[in-house]
Amino acid sequence: MKFKLLFLFFCIRYIASAQTEVIPLYDGPVPGSEQWNWTESEQFNKTWQTQVVYNVAKPSLTVFRPEAGKSNGTAMVICPGGGFHALSINSEGYDVAKNLVAKGVTCFVLKYRLIRCFTDDPAMEFMSKMGKKEFEDQSTQLIPMAIQDGRAAISYVRKNASIYNIASDRIGIIGFSAGGTVTSATAYDYTDDNKPNFVAPIYPFFPEAMQKTIASDAPPLFIAVASDDQLSLAPHSLKLYESWLTAKKPAELHVYAKGGHGFGMRKQDLPSDQWIERFTDWMKASGFLPMTKPADAVKPIVNTQLDLYVKKEYKHSDTHVLPYRILYPEPYDRTQKYPLVLLLHGGGERGADNEKQLTHGANLFVDPENRKKYPAIVIVPQCPIDQYWATSTIDRTTTPFKIDFDYTKTPNWNLIAANELVKKLTKEEAVDPTRIYITGLSMGGMGTFESVYRYPDLYAAALPICGGGDLKVYDKRVKKVPFWIFHGDADVVVDVNLSRNMTEKLKSLKAKVKYTEYPGVNHNSWVNAFADPEYLNWMMAQKRKN
């Protein structure tokens, strides 16, 4: 009987340890707080109505691993919030990990050092100090330690990447409120060991005074926040996002009208409940998660599929060369005639690597089913980092940005080059001149509108996504080109009214136009557009009369 009880005891311990693996963050005394000797505690906090951990003196990582064979190589350090007095361990920690683990991400929930609490209600202690010098002094001392723990967590994960079956260049960090402070700070002053490959501060406390110089290799940024944040932290997110844009670094911002502070994984029957899905959409689009059929209605690009887009260059002049990628039908029969598609990327994909322009939309055309059903030649040029497709000026100090178009000016050389390339390939390749299409997202959506205006006899259809155009000069020359326009009504980057106004303008010109607006969708409306099963079907059905 004793043997059976002992065996059962060890079985229970083994199962528990397999489900929850806790790793001390530091070997030996914790640097900077060696004398801290209080005991970590956990409770259901009635004030905040959630499970919290407090009095963390010895930082640790709680590991959540995907099922065997389901890891995709991406790792995430998760930093719960709680005003540096506690950690909302479920809603902003374990529940986040469970969601991401189901998607193949290996997660590490970080318990970073906290301000010591002397009662059994850390929430009340925090709220009683807010706005007082005591809280400011304690936070000033504690925050650098918490940030140190965040950096140490990234370093630990990278150092042990092979043990956890993790790719060392796909380690991200996400944090909420005070955990967002830790997360945001790791995006600055990093080393090779502790640099995050992507950062996701969610309603972070990160005032402009904490922002530093953004490095040339700064990681991509994802932010989510609610306008009705009770702590008035939305401006922190907007300033952080603006600084990334000014530095021309990849960034995505979701601002929900409602959600309050601390929405985390809580269910409130609001659009903010879906922030984690928008985050995983962004991870997929940024290459940190594989694309999946249910989420995007397309299959993933792997390296061999990327190679299907052949690297080429188009010499526009002695000083201007346009890099581009081209996809040919499979098989490519030159005795046949194929549609040609020009895809214009957004501002985040500018550069000279001749690769980033494939980030959004390119996967749609290499999907085996689509290649079989819609064989086409697809051109994806890359705009230089200091250029735009459309002739426009942008004021980034407003939300959404204030964008003015002026087609009376000479068009940008790269837009001319992209359209010249279409004409050149129409002559050189097996192209059906009555089935040439143009589509683009964000900056590329703006380039789509301008291209049709300047080359109205070239395109059989145009599909601009979250773009805009020059209402003042758009005229009847474009009315023979069918348009399908897409936009999200919650776009905080490109005002949805730009698409609405262009739709009304086209209607007034008696042009054939469809308009699709996505409720609650921010700037990444291309995810919805490219996932629409009618997107390619409608495009390929259009034909220009000779």
Side-chain angles (χ1 to χ4, degrees):
M1 182 67 180
K2 287 183 179 180
F3 174 77
K4 289 182 179 179
L5 289 173
L6 188 63
F7 177 77
L8 179 61
F9 171 76
F10 279 111
C11 282
I12 292 172
R13 286 198 63 186
Y14 173 78
I15 293 170
S17 64
Q19 291 175 334
T20 305
E21 180 183 354
V22 180
I23 309 294
L25 190 55
Y26 299 98
D27 295 326
V30 182
S33 58
E34 293 86 351
Q35 304 307 314
W36 291 13
N37 59 3
W38 43 89
T39 303
E40 178 181 310
S41 299
E42 183 171 343
Q43 63 164 228
F44 180 84
N45 187 267
K46 294 180 180 178
T47 304
W48 282 342
Q49 287 295 298
T50 191
Q51 196 77 7
V52 300
V53 170
Y54 59 105
N55 280 344
V56 176
K58 300 185 186 306
S60 65
L61 292 170
T62 302
V63 187
F64 290 77
R65 303 196 197 203
E67 294 179 24
K70 294 188 177 181
S71 170
N72 54 38
T74 295
M76 184 73 72
V77 174
I78 302 171
C79 308
F84 303 108
H85 282 67
L87 302 175
S88 180
I89 201 65
N90 285 346
S91 174
E92 299 175 350
Y94 299 154
D95 292 345
V96 179
K98 291 171 185 175
N99 182 287
L100 295 175
V101 162
K103 296 164 182 171
V105 180
T106 305
C107 294
F108 301 80
V109 178
L110 172 63
K111 295 180 182 177
Y112 51 89
R113 282 171 283 184
L114 300 172
I115 294 169
R116 185 181 182 184
C117 292
F118 293 91
T119 71
D120 60 359
D121 193 341
M124 287 300 295
E125 285 198 42
F126 164 68
M127 291 190 295
S128 68
K129 296 176 188 174
M130 282 188 67
K132 298 180 180 178
K133 188 174 185 303
E134 178 187 10
F135 179 66
E136 182 179 346
D137 291 343
Q138 290 178 341
S139 299
T140 300
Q141 181 181 7
L142 186 281
I143 288 175
M145 296 182 185
I147 294 171
Q148 179 184 354
D149 296 343
R151 298 189 196 281
I154 297 168
S155 181
Y156 171 85
V157 174
R158 181 162 285 118
K159 182 179 178 181
N160 294 278
S162 60
I163 295 174
Y164 294 102
N165 192 28
I166 291 165
S168 61
D169 60 351
R170 286 163 61 188
I171 300 171
I173 182 168
I174 185 171
F176 305 79
S177 192
T181 309
V182 175
T183 295
S184 302
T186 64
Y188 305 87
D189 298 333
Y190 41 74
T191 65
D192 289 343
D193 288 338
N194 62 31
K195 177 188 176 182
N197 298 111
F198 57 101
V199 293
I202 310 299
Y203 44 86
F205 169 79
F206 204 67
E208 194 171 3
M210 294 187 70
Q211 298 180 25
K212 301 180 181 180
T213 301
I214 300 172
S216 60
D217 62 344
L221 178 75
F222 176 94
I223 307 175
V225 70
S227 297
D228 64 347
D229 188 302
Q230 297 94 322
L231 301 184
S232 301
L233 296 185
H236 292 205
S237 292
L238 297 177
K239 286 289 186 182
L240 186 60
Y241 175 71
E242 182 183 353
S243 69
W244 245 249
L245 285 185
T246 301
K248 295 182 169 57
K249 301 303 171 188
E252 183 163 313
L253 171 66
H254 293 256
V255 181
Y256 295 97
K258 295 183 179 181
H261 186 78
F263 50 79
M265 296 297 289
R266 299 172 187 263
K267 298 303 177 187
Q268 305 181 87
D269 295 324
L270 293 170
S272 57
D273 294 355
Q274 302 302 316
W275 74 267
I276 190 87
E277 300 307 321
R278 304 293 73 77
F279 175 52
T280 49
D281 287 341
W282 176 83
M283 290 175 69
K284 292 169 188 174
S286 302
F288 298 114
L289 281 183
M291 302 291 282
T292 56
K293 188 87 173 181
D296 300 278
V298 290
K299 294 179 180 176
I301 290 184
V302 296
N303 289 335
T304 53
Q305 288 176 297
L306 277 173
D307 290 341
L308 294 173
Y309 284 91
V310 181
K311 282 188 176 183
K312 293 192 176 185
E313 291 182 340
Y314 173 65
K315 186 176 180 181
H316 173 64
S317 67
D318 290 339
T319 55
H320 293 142
V321 176
L322 185 73
Y324 72 96
R325 301 288 281 264
I326 183 168
L327 176 73
Y328 294 100
E330 177 60 40
Y332 185 28
D333 182 356
R334 286 185 173 272
T335 65
Q336 303 295 317
K337 293 293 184 181
Y338 299 94
L340 183 146
V341 181
L342 174 62
L343 170 61
L344 300 179
H345 63 77
E349 293 73 60
R350 290 176 295 179
D353 62 356
N354 208 358
E355 290 186 5
K356 282 195 297 185
Q357 74 265 38
L358 299 180
T359 302
H360 304 298
N363 54 329
L364 186 68
F365 297 96
V366 293
D367 177 83
E369 293 177 16
N370 288 338
R371 295 196 82 193
K372 183 178 180 180
K373 188 174 181 181
Y374 307 108
I377 297 170
V378 183
I379 313 167
V380 195
Q382 186 174 32
C383 180
I385 192 68
D386 58 346
Q387 293 287 328
Y388 296 92
W389 293 120
T391 342
S392 58
T393 56
I394 302 177
D395 180 359
R396 298 180 184 274
T397 62
T398 64
T399 304
F401 298 155
K402 186 177 185 299
I403 305 173
D404 292 316
F405 302 94
D406 189 354
Y407 293 176
T408 63
K409 294 181 179 179
T410 303
N412 296 329
W413 74 261
N414 42 287
L415 186 81
I416 297 173
N419 285 276
E420 285 180 352
L421 176 61
V422 170
K423 292 180 178 181
K424 179 175 182 289
L425 293 176
T426 300
K427 295 177 181 178
E428 296 177 354
E429 302 290 350
V431 174
D432 180 350
T434 69
R435 299 181 69 204
I436 300 174
Y437 311 111
I438 183 169
T439 186
L441 56 107
S442 190
M443 183 183 82
M446 301 171 198
T448 299
F449 278 120
E450 184 166 343
S451 293
V452 175
Y453 173 80
R454 298 193 184 278
Y455 305 90
D457 297 325
L458 185 57
Y459 295 103
L463 297 87
I465 305 169
C466 55
D470 191 343
L471 289 166
K472 301 182 299 294
V473 302
Y474 233 65
D475 56 26
K476 61 183 181 181
R477 77 185 74 183
V478 306
K479 72 176 185 178
K480 292 183 180 179
V481 180
F483 281 81
W484 188 0
I485 301 170
F486 306 83
H487 217 122
D489 72 355
D491 196 323
V492 297
V493 179
V494 178
D495 193 337
V496 64
N497 286 310
L498 293 179
S499 285
R500 291 172 180 170
N501 292 341
M502 287 301 291
T503 300
E504 292 306 311
K505 181 70 174 183
L506 288 165
K507 287 180 179 178
S508 72
L509 297 171
K510 309 299 182 185
K512 180 181 177 182
V513 57
K514 290 178 60 176
Y515 178 55
T516 300
E517 188 171 296
Y518 301 108
V521 173
N522 199 326
H523 188 51
N524 62 336
S525 51
W526 53 82
V527 174
N528 302 70
F530 292 142
D532 192 320
E534 284 300 306
Y535 178 87
L536 282 179
N537 193 44
W538 182 89
M539 175 194 288
M540 298 295 176
Q542 309 307 312
K543 193 170 183 179
R544 185 172 61 84
K545 294 181 180 179
N546 288 325

